[in-house]
Amino acid sequence: MDDRVRALLLETLYTQPTSLAIGAINGVVSGIIAAYVSQSTLLTHAAIALTVIAAARIAMGYAIGRNIAPQDVWKWELAYEIGAFSYSIILGLVAALTIWQNVDGQIQVMTVAVALCYGTGIAARNAGRPVIAIGQLFLSVVPVIAALLANGSLAYVALAVTVILLLPAMTSIALNVFATLRKSITEAENNARLAERMQNLARTDVVTGLANRAGLNHELAEKYLSLPDDRKLMLLWIDLDRFKEVNDTLGHPVGDKVLAEVARRLATQAPDDATLARFGGDEFIVACELESRSDAEQMARHMLEEINRPFRFDGQRLQVGGSLGVALLPDDSHDVATLMQSADLALYHAKVSGGHQVSFFDPSMTRNLVRRKEIEAELRAAIQHDELSIFFQPIVDLETGRIRTFEALVRWFHPEKGELRPDEFIPVAEETGVIITLGNWITTQAAKACAQWPDDVTVAVNLSPMQIKAPGAALGIQSALREAGLDPTRLELEVTESLFVEDDENTARFIDELSAMGVRFALDDFGTGFSSLGYINKFPFKKIKVDRSFVSGPNIGRKTEAIIRAVAEMGSTLEMDIVAEGLETVEQVQAVRDAGCNLGQGYYFSRAVPDYLAAMLLARERDARQQKQHAS
Ligand code: C2E
Ligand code: CA
Ligand code: CA
């Protein structure tokens, strides 16, 4: 029998101390009366023994109540057995003695009746432990039977026979009651266990085995309630920086492995009683009690190191990295809900500051970040709700007039604010880090459109520095190409000088890796920044786009013309295309062509147009060419 079931059955013996007390007091009273009336020393001793045992048993019954630990079952069972058996046999002996010593008939009736009542009653009451029940029945009744038989009178022998018949009857009743009791307790236990398992399942994340959101809520509430006054509750919110990319490019099985490994690593750093949870895809929470703020700082640092450590799966090396936000209770909040909010804001701060770092909650984070978070949420939703679209502006060969490239320019059609220009929301996207998701989406859309065009037409996509500096940025571009099925040589990436303000390993790696695949790079807005020629040498640019301030605007003149001329000359020496941006008039086109630019872009040729119009421009161009061929 299962320990828990056994404990519950034993509890049935102890649960009703009142019935135990009534039985005990009856026996004691009848014993004392018998001793008093008979004046027998033996009966007096027996009455004293009964009183002592009864008192001890009643005290024990009230003392344990319902709290029997499984490992203590045998102890309490033995204690109960000793008490029950000694009490029963003495009760039986008292009745037997009154017969044996021929005490007054009324006393005999009383003690015999008490012993029989006790024996039969107890056989039912204690059926939870049948050995005890049947043992007590026999011990209280057998001395009576012996005394009745020894007496030998007809009535007593008849009574003895009746009592003897009672033994198997009561034994079978006790066993039946026991079987029923055991069955129902076992079933109840199984049901309770099943319910517990279901509940655990509902609170567990299957991929990592950690708690899920429901589990987290439950455990946090418990941690909060049991937090001692001199301790802190730390909530550490972790967001993996590059998980989505890993998942998209390497597939869900690898993604799941990464999640499980992150969970394992967090567990090695967290105290044993910490709560670990995962939800929302790639977010983890660690909650634990700590002594001090510096403990929290130390733990957060260790966690960050663990997450940043590269993963290895089937010989493949992966670096995911994460951002961590930390808040403490009672320092930063007074309840679980604000603790979560504070940690979330701290996390957001860590992400906005470039990721791969820990940030502790600070009250100054509140207002500013909340507003930014709203815009960020709006932008994210905009992608999902198809409020964003990509327009295409042709870049034209100034010699032949043919479209060589379309530059992809994003547009946001906001349901309330109307059309928003990229200058209004790209900076927000950059500040908040949404640019990474947004940029990958734009590249994918642009590549898909390009895949529909003739092979000699390319597409140019603008990249923000932050997009490039994010670790693993090349993966995003590669997966866009793969998703669109576009040859890498047909993709051009426009970058600005600001990218090179600081020497950055990631930038160089990004450009090298993609150039090796055939992706081309264009230097955008040339002439607005440092216009340093150093990096034109250092990086494999195929194209330089001269900013439109050199073409139109108040400062136009001989000086700007000289600059365009110099750049164009360099372009032809280094075999780079030189694009003049912002061409609005035929004079401007004329001027830049004379200065040596081979490509042009601007309203003179076309504004940025939706993809179907871009396709139409190409079709018209092809028809015009065919007509020309026919004519000649
Ligand atoms: P940009 O890369 O220099 O893009 C050229 C901008 O000049 C576009 O503005 C285009 O509409 C505008 N333009 C083209 N021809 C003419 C013309 O003849 N006259 C005048 N006055 N303007 C002309 P837009 O689309 O508002 O984009 C502004 C800037 O936003 C872009 O400057 C680029 O830096 C950024 N941007 C646009 N789309 C994206 C994107 O998908 N990703 C990123 N990261 N940045 C983008
Ligand atoms: Ca551009
Ligand atoms: Ca430009």
Side-chain angles (χ1 to χ4, degrees):
M1 203 189 321
D2 188 283
D3 279 353
R4 287 277 313 147
V5 175
R6 199 185 168 107
L8 283 170
L9 283 168
L10 182 66
E11 274 172 19
T12 64
L13 304 190
Y14 280 108
T15 38
Q16 291 173 321
T18 316
S19 74
L20 190 89
I22 292 171
I25 290 166
N26 275 343
V28 169
V29 170
S30 74
I32 290 171
I33 293 173
Y36 175 75
V37 172
S38 68
Q39 294 291 311
S40 144
T41 356
L42 263 177
L43 279 171
T44 309
H45 286 153
I48 292 171
L50 269 183
T51 313
V52 172
I53 297 168
R57 297 188 68 210
I58 293 168
M60 205 161 72
Y62 280 105
I64 338 180
R66 288 187 140 270
N67 299 310
I68 301 177
Q71 68 271 21
D72 293 338
V73 165
W74 69 271
K75 246 190 284 176
W76 289 113
E77 194 167 325
L78 185 67
Y80 193 94
E81 264 166 12
I82 293 171
F85 289 160
S86 54
Y87 184 83
S88 304
I89 184 115
I90 295 174
L91 203 60
L93 286 174
V94 166
L97 271 176
T98 57
I99 298 168
W100 184 258
Q101 295 190 341
N102 250 325
V103 185
D104 175 58
Q106 288 176 2
I107 298 295
Q108 287 187 26
V109 171
M110 178 191 68
T111 53
V112 168
V114 166
L116 293 184
C117 286
Y118 184 81
T120 49
I122 210 77
R125 181 192 184 276
N126 286 358
R129 299 302 301 129
V131 175
I132 298 180
I134 295 165
Q136 283 185 284
L137 171 68
F138 275 71
L139 288 174
S140 57
V141 168
V142 169
V144 179
I145 296 170
L148 288 172
L149 289 176
N151 178 282
S153 72
L154 189 58
Y156 277 11
V157 172
L159 182 57
V161 172
T162 310
V163 180
I164 288 169
L165 290 176
L166 195 67
L167 288 176
M170 282 316 294
T171 301
S172 125
I173 289 173
L175 289 175
N176 270 333
V177 172
F178 169 68
T180 316
L181 206 58
R182 182 173 63 180
K183 191 161 162 254
S184 71
I185 287 184
T186 308
E187 269 170 17
E189 265 296 289
N190 285 346
N191 287 347
R193 217 167 290 169
L194 202 66
E196 197 179 308
R197 254 191 60 203
M198 298 289 276
Q199 188 156 53
N200 283 343
L201 273 179
R203 289 177 178 161
T204 306
D205 164 43
V206 271
V207 175
T208 58
L210 304 182
N212 59 15
R213 185 138 215 163
L216 174 73
N217 290 342
H218 176 75
E219 288 185 31
L220 269 184
E222 281 188 346
K223 280 214 154 53
Y224 173 68
L225 291 175
S226 65
L227 185 71
D229 282 345
D230 57 342
R231 311 254 304 164
K232 295 179 191 302
L233 182 59
M234 171 174 95
L235 196 117
L236 197 143
W237 198 321
I238 301 159
D239 183 291
L240 301 183
D241 288 334
R242 278 193 43 216
F243 179 72
K244 203 185 158 315
E245 263 168 62
V246 169
N247 218 24
D248 289 352
T249 50
L250 303 175
H252 290 276
V254 176
D256 284 356
K257 277 191 199 166
V258 170
L259 292 174
E261 175 62 13
V262 169
R264 199 192 60 76
R265 289 185 185 181
L266 293 179
T268 59
Q269 297 301 316
D272 288 343
D273 60 350
T275 292
L276 292 168
R278 175 185 82 112
F279 55 87
D282 62 347
E283 292 186 25
F284 291 82
I285 279 194
V286 179
C288 59
E289 261 181 39
L290 289 168
E291 198 84 27
S292 67
R293 203 174 177 89
S294 64
D295 284 355
E297 281 162 8
Q298 196 179 349
M299 187 176 307
R301 220 179 24 251
H302 288 317
M303 297 265 177
L304 181 69
E305 279 166 15
E306 279 300 308
I307 295 169
N308 284 346
R309 207 152 49 78
F311 298 89
R312 251 173 224 296
F313 296 117
D314 316 324
Q316 202 169 11
R317 187 173 175 280
L318 275 181
Q319 195 155 14
V320 176
S323 307
L324 279 67
V326 186
L328 299 171
L329 188 145
D331 304 33
D332 306 321
S333 44
H334 289 283
D335 56 43
V336 172
T338 45
L339 182 67
M340 292 278 284
Q341 272 167 20
S342 303
D344 187 23
L345 274 177
L347 168 64
Y348 187 70
H349 187 262
K351 280 199 282 187
V352 170
S353 313
H356 288 271
Q357 55 191 288
V358 180
S359 153
F360 273 70
F361 175 77
D362 181 301
S364 72
M365 288 173 180
T366 325
R367 253 167 299 122
N368 212 345
L369 282 182
V370 168
R371 174 69 200 127
R372 277 219 223 158
K373 263 195 93 138
E374 281 168 14
I375 301 176
E376 175 182 355
E378 257 186 9
L379 251 176
R380 283 191 198 281
I383 301 178
Q384 251 142 42
H385 299 157
D386 278 341
E387 289 169 22
L388 293 170
S389 50
I390 313 293
F391 275 37
F392 297 94
Q393 189 180 31
I395 299 176
V396 173
D397 190 318
L398 293 178
E399 219 50 63
T400 62
R402 281 184 57 185
I403 296 171
R404 293 261 299 266
T405 305
F406 277 106
E407 177 174 4
L409 295 163
V410 64
R411 297 285 179 264
W412 183 359
F413 298 96
H414 195 281
E416 283 136 39
K417 297 176 195 150
E419 182 183 335
L420 296 177
R421 301 229 104 201
D423 294 333
E424 295 169 78
F425 62 88
I426 292 282
V428 180
E430 283 174 339
E431 279 169 35
T432 55
V434 188
I435 192 69
I436 299 188
T437 315
L438 180 62
N440 286 336
W441 180 82
I442 291 170
T443 312
T444 309
Q445 301 304 309
K448 280 182 178 166
C450 183
Q452 309 298 318
W453 303 331
D455 288 347
D456 58 349
V457 180
T458 57
V459 71
V461 176
N462 293 284
L463 291 189
S464 297
M466 181 180 173
Q467 226 178 316
I468 297 170
K469 288 183 174 152
L475 271 182
I477 307 287
Q478 285 158 1
S479 70
L481 284 169
R482 197 170 322 135
E483 203 181 324
L486 187 72
D487 190 313
T489 55
R490 294 180 66 196
L491 178 67
E492 237 169 60
L493 299 176
E494 296 194 3
V495 301
T496 54
E497 290 174 309
S498 61
L499 183 60
F500 306 102
V501 170
E502 51 186 324
D503 237 357
D504 189 275
E505 207 185 306
N506 285 335
T507 306
R509 196 172 328 121
F510 176 84
I511 295 181
D512 287 348
E513 203 173 307
L514 291 173
S515 297
M517 288 176 62
V519 174
R520 296 187 231 193
F521 283 85
L523 186 60
D524 202 358
D525 300 345
F526 186 77
T528 55
F530 306 87
S531 309
S532 150
L533 299 179
Y535 43 77
I536 295 187
N537 240 340
K538 190 167 163 200
F539 296 107
F541 288 113
K542 292 277 185 293
K543 186 182 272 182
I544 292 179
K545 299 185 80 177
V546 180
D547 191 70
R548 72 166 180 270
S549 58
F550 287 83
V551 173
S552 58
N555 303 322
I556 212 85
R558 287 176 42 124
K559 214 167 171 187
T560 50
E561 202 196 302
I563 292 175
I564 295 182
R565 204 172 283 281
V567 174
E569 211 163 295
M570 174 185 75
S572 71
T573 323
L574 298 177
E575 294 189 323
M576 292 192 288
D577 287 323
I578 306 295
V579 187
E581 293 190 291
L583 300 177
E584 295 183 359
T585 65
V586 68
E587 290 79 17
Q588 287 167 350
V589 175
Q590 197 69 48
V592 297
R593 194 170 54 192
D594 291 347
C597 296
N598 64 330
L599 300 173
Q601 176 180 11
Y603 296 166
Y604 173 75
F605 302 106
S606 167
R607 289 182 177 258
V609 295
D611 55 358
Y612 66 94
L613 281 181
M616 240 164 75
L617 286 177
L618 288 171
R620 209 166 61 192
E621 191 182 276
R622 189 192 50 211
D623 289 347
R625 212 176 324 140
Q626 277 170 356
Q627 269 172 16
K628 233 179 174 172
Q629 274 170 358
H630 277 295
S632 62

